[in-house]
């Protein structure tokens, strides 16, 4: 659910990321767009579905899983199957780039795969056959296909929109398959290629051959994208760093920022983070800020950090967990709907092994309830958290402050 939520939020800001980059270029700045996930594995899975090669892929997986066979013959057969799969996937043409609903269809299909383990690591895959399951699956499939367009392949959509406006994009992503739009028919076709040459991409961006660059985790270290006058052909336009998807690893996020904000720059970059404004995104922001605070506490003994994003409250802590548990206890129906087990008398409100389990589960699954209810839940939790914190402050036992004598 965490990964699906991150992909969902990214899909919602892809168009904004492209438009923000275009506006930056029109205003004389050079954009650097950061996206953690390339979406390559999802793209390959969608292309495989469109190419109708599921049977070939199943055969290939079965050959890999079954040890009771001639290994050389199996290896040769796998190689032949892979060539057939690649050829069929390369011939796929799409009217539009893959959408978030395609991902949801893939996830629905995965839910219906039951792996039956046998001896020596051999397994078989079965699908449920009950009428009840098939009816529920059909109902869910209809809801999925009614979802509005939300691009799944962020890098391809951003690059194409920039080209449509006359700008030349490049990327440091490490992916080996991408989509491009045909000029004549306007259809999207896949293209297999080697990993892009990061050195050439960065050099072209820095000397003005490319107008915009998109980086993923592959571009978090070893490159410089700042506005520098070090070379005669340097493009010294101010950089605008656009975060379309935050890196889960806080060290990689800070390294991203260090690509455009470096020594010998002629001007400081503009830093911009894109968010949807949905309450369900609040947990990701809280997690991001909590990592920044821990990093600052470890290095400077101070929880404050200049990169912390604006937020009214940080609920991902023991106090927030206590507030969340109280609210869930008052609302057992919602706790049940979100599959959150409430403590019983037997475990005496034991926290078990997970840190802050109730607030993490509640915030992580908030995306599964309507937005109006999300806002109501967050407002209630925020109010109770503030009241409890004020009470502790009056008692002189604020858990987030260290008294120095």
């Amino acid at each position: 659910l965490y990964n699906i939520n991150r992909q969902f939020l990214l899909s919602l800001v892809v168009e904004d990321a492209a438009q923000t980059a275009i506006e930056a270029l029109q205003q004389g700045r050079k954009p650097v767009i950061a996206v953690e996930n390339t979406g390559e594995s999802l793209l390959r899975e969608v292309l495989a579905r469109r190419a109708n090669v599921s049977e070939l892929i199943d055969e290939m997986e079965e050959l890999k899983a079954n040890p009771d066979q001639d290994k050389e013959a199996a290896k040769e057969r796998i190689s032949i199957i892979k060539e057939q799969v690649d050829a069929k996937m390369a011939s796929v043409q799409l009217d539009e780039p893959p959408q978030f609903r395609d991902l949801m269809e893939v996830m629905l299909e995965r839910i219906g795969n039951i792996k039956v383990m046998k001896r020596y690591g051999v397994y078989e895959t079965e699908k449920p056959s009950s009428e009840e399951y098939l009816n529920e699956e059909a109902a869910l499939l209809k809801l999925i296909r009614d979802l509005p367009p939300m691009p799944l392949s962020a890098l391809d959509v951003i690059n194409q929109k920039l080209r449509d406006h006359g700008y030349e994009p490049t990327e440091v992503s490490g992916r080996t398959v991408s989509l491009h739009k045909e000029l004549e028919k306007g259809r999207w076709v896949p293209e297999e290629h080697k990993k892009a040459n990061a050195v050439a991409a960065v050099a072209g961006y820095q000397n003005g051959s490319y107008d915009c660059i998109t980086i993923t985790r592959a571009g978090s270290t070893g490159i410089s994208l700042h506005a520098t006058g070090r070379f005669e052909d340097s493009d010294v336009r101010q950089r605008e760093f656009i975060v379309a998807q935050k890196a889960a690893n806080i060290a990689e996020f800070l390294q991203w920022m260090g690509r455009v904000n470096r020594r010998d720059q002629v001007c400081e970059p503009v830093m911009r983070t894109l968010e949807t404004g949905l309450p369900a995104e609040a947990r990701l922001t809280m997690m991001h800020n909590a990592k920044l605070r821990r990093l600052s506490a470890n290095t400077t003994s101070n929880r404050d950090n200049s990169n912390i994003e604006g937020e009214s409250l940080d609920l991902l802590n023991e106090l927030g967990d206590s507030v969340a548990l109280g609210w869930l206890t008052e609302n057992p129906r919602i706790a049940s709907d979100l599959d959150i087990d409430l403590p019983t008398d037997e475990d005496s409100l034991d926290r078990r092994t997970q840190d802050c389990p109730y607030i993490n589960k509640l915030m992580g699954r908030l995306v599964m309830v309507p937005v109006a209810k999300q806002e109501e839940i967050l407002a209630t939790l925020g109010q109770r958290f503030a009241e409890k914190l004020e009470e502790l402050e009056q008692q002189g036992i604020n858990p987030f402050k260290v008294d120095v004598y």
Side-chain angles (χ1 to χ4, degrees):
L1 182 61
Y2 170 77
N3 290 328
I4 292 175
N5 187 30
R6 277 170 56 84
Q7 184 61 55
F8 170 67
L9 296 171
L10 173 60
S11 298
L12 292 177
V13 301
V14 168
E15 303 278 352
D16 286 340
Q19 186 58 39
T20 301
I22 291 167
E23 291 175 358
L25 286 164
Q26 291 172 343
Q27 295 168 12
R29 298 187 297 276
K30 289 198 73 171
V32 177
I33 304 174
V35 178
E36 181 175 34
N37 298 325
T38 64
E40 180 177 358
S41 60
L42 295 174
L43 176 58
R44 288 185 181 278
E45 195 153 0
V46 170
L47 292 174
R49 285 170 57 86
R50 298 291 179 89
N52 294 320
V53 293
S54 56
E55 292 184 2
L56 290 173
I57 292 176
D58 290 342
E59 181 184 351
M60 189 161 55
E61 292 298 323
E62 186 176 342
L63 288 169
K64 291 178 180 178
N66 187 2
D68 301 329
Q69 59 189 328
D70 184 338
K71 292 186 177 180
E72 288 300 321
K75 185 177 180 180
E76 184 178 349
R77 177 58 183 161
I78 288 173
S79 178
I80 293 172
I81 293 174
K82 189 176 185 306
E83 288 180 3
Q84 293 175 345
V85 169
D86 290 344
K88 288 190 175 184
M89 287 173 57
S91 65
V92 172
Q93 294 189 345
L94 306 173
D95 293 327
E96 62 178 0
Q99 303 292 317
F100 181 74
R101 54 177 172 261
D102 294 313
L103 170 61
M104 297 304 293
E105 285 193 34
V106 169
M107 299 307 297
L108 181 60
E109 186 176 296
R110 286 183 185 174
I111 290 172
N113 289 331
I114 302 171
K115 183 182 289 187
V116 182
M117 297 299 299
K118 297 189 175 182
R119 298 174 66 184
Y120 309 113
V122 179
Y123 65 87
E124 292 181 355
T125 303
E126 299 179 359
K127 288 187 68 69
S129 56
S130 69
E131 183 179 351
E132 182 180 4
Y133 177 84
L134 294 176
N135 289 338
E136 289 293 333
E137 184 183 47
L140 284 171
L141 190 58
K142 184 180 184 306
L143 290 174
I144 289 171
R145 290 177 175 172
D146 287 340
L147 287 172
M150 290 180 281
L152 191 62
S153 185
L155 274 65
D156 296 313
V157 172
I158 291 171
N159 288 342
Q160 187 58 48
K161 286 195 171 292
L162 285 163
R163 292 190 186 101
D164 290 343
H165 284 76
Y167 300 111
E168 189 59 34
T170 188
E171 63 184 58
V172 178
S173 64
R175 61 179 182 159
T176 57
V177 63
S178 58
L179 292 173
H180 68 271
K181 193 174 183 180
E182 292 182 327
L183 293 177
E184 295 181 1
K185 298 180 180 179
R187 307 195 73 186
W188 293 77
V189 295
E191 180 182 2
E192 287 271 0
H193 49 76
K194 295 181 180 180
K195 291 183 180 179
N197 187 326
V199 174
V202 171
Y205 177 80
Q206 290 293 74
N207 65 29
S209 299
Y210 297 114
D211 300 298
C212 174
I213 189 169
T214 303
I215 61 175
T216 63
R217 295 173 62 185
S220 63
T221 58
I223 60 176
S224 297
L225 302 172
H226 60 304
T228 175
R230 187 185 305 171
F231 308 105
E232 290 185 4
D233 61 348
S234 293
D235 189 335
V236 296
R237 282 180 288 176
Q238 184 183 27
R239 301 318 193 234
E240 179 162 336
F241 185 62
I242 303 167
V243 182
Q245 183 186 42
K246 301 185 191 77
N249 185 328
I250 197 63
E252 289 181 351
F253 177 80
L254 294 176
Q255 286 173 332
W256 269 352
M257 300 183 75
R259 300 311 98 205
V260 297
N261 191 16
R262 304 176 70 83
R263 288 181 60 185
D264 88 350
Q265 61 189 8
V266 297
C267 58
E268 294 184 351
V270 174
M271 301 291 192
R272 193 184 303 276
T273 301
L274 302 181
E275 293 192 353
T276 62
L278 292 175
E281 193 169 11
R283 177 174 180 256
L284 297 179
T285 301
M286 291 179 189
M287 290 172 61
H288 179 78
N289 289 342
K291 292 171 185 175
L292 285 171
R293 288 194 177 95
R294 284 197 295 269
L295 186 64
S296 291
N298 288 335
T299 55
T300 67
S301 300
N302 190 332
R303 295 177 78 246
D304 293 332
N305 188 295
S306 61
N307 296 312
I308 287 177
E309 296 183 17
E311 60 169 307
S312 55
L313 295 169
D314 177 11
L315 300 173
L316 302 184
N317 47 58
E318 290 294 330
L319 181 57
D321 193 58
S322 174
V323 170
L325 175 56
W327 186 88
L328 288 168
T329 304
E330 297 171 9
N331 298 271
R333 176 64 182 274
I334 294 180
S336 176
D337 290 343
L338 297 179
D339 194 27
I340 301 175
D341 294 329
L342 296 176
T344 61
D345 294 336
E346 286 75 16
D347 55 29
S348 302
L349 304 181
D350 205 1
R351 283 292 193 279
R352 303 177 181 86
T353 58
Q354 183 183 354
D355 291 334
C356 306
Y358 303 109
I359 187 63
N360 270 300
K361 288 180 180 179
L362 178 57
M363 295 298 294
R365 300 171 190 180
L366 208 59
V367 70
M368 298 169 68
V369 301
V371 173
K373 190 65 178 178
Q374 293 178 31
E375 293 174 342
E376 178 187 332
I377 293 171
L378 268 183
T380 302
L381 293 177
Q383 180 181 358
R384 294 186 181 184
F385 182 91
E387 291 172 353
K388 185 65 177 177
L389 188 60
E390 178 63 25
E391 179 184 335
L392 294 173
E393 183 76 32
Q394 295 298 327
Q395 297 174 19
I397 52 175
N398 188 325
F400 307 118
K401 290 184 179 180
V402 177
D403 293 327
V404 180
Y405 300 96

